[in-house]
Amino acid sequence: DAGITQSPRHKVTETGTPVTLRCHQTENHRYMYWYRQDPGHGLRLIHYSYGVKDTDKGEVSDGYSVSRSKTEDFLLTLESATSSQTSVYFCAISVGEYEQYFGPGTRLTVT
Amino acid sequence: DQQVKQNSPSLSVQEGRISILNCDYTNSMFDYFLWYKKYPAEGPTFLISISSIKDKNEDGRFTVFLNKSAKHLSLHIVPSQPGDSAVYFCAARSGAGSYQLTFGKGTKLSVIP
């Protein structure tokens, strides 16, 4: 257990509404990540952070923004949710130089 | 352009037999490889890894083999157990100093009792 929690765990929202997902870690790890998992696509990196206020884009960043104002929290925002953003979202942290450890996931449905 | 490929979406194996999951990669800069296991409704969990300077790493029932010349790695599970039924993801790191991982699409393993 790497001390990662995600909230909410499930969310249903309507197209066009803003949505924020939260990732919280308890161990002050520097690197944090947001992935989405979709059938046939595996895990794809959305954004990542390498410190407070330091973030960068991943493979599928369009339509998403992130913020990290504290070491322990990494927020993912969908400014205007679309049906294509229906997915399972995972937060992860780097422990050491190699392994990443994942949170339990948030299932988001955009109707 | 998919840099990490898991060409078998699914695999079925009898309990007690060997499971072999395969992964191919195209980026010669990858220097570290990992396998993750994922159960439904849970996050992926780290299983085993291997550095590019090695060709084998073993941890209990799990062994990962790396063939750099073929850009191929495989995960062997011996003996397979019903609790091993899950989706397995192969992942690779893009060289020293990079903290990003590139994942394959996953292989769903079903171990039949």
Side-chain angles (χ1 to χ4, degrees), chain B residues 50-64:
Chain B
I50 188 167
S51 167
S52 61
I53 63 173
K54 296 186 176 182
D55 55 17
K56 178 182 174 181
N57 188 28
E58 194 171 354
D59 183 1
R61 296 186 298 115
F62 302 91
T63 303
V64 56

Side-chain angles (χ1 to χ4, degrees), chain B residues 68-110:
Chain B
K68 282 186 67 178
S69 61
K71 293 190 174 67
H72 176 82
L73 63 156
S74 60
L75 174 68
H76 293 212
I77 306 174
V78 184
S80 301
Q81 300 173 354
D84 296 329
S85 296
V87 176
Y88 289 79
F89 292 101
C90 173
R93 188 186 82 152
S94 306
S98 170
Y99 283 76
Q100 293 187 55
L101 297 178
T102 302
F103 285 83
K105 294 183 178 182
T107 297
K108 183 176 182 179
L109 174 65
S110 299

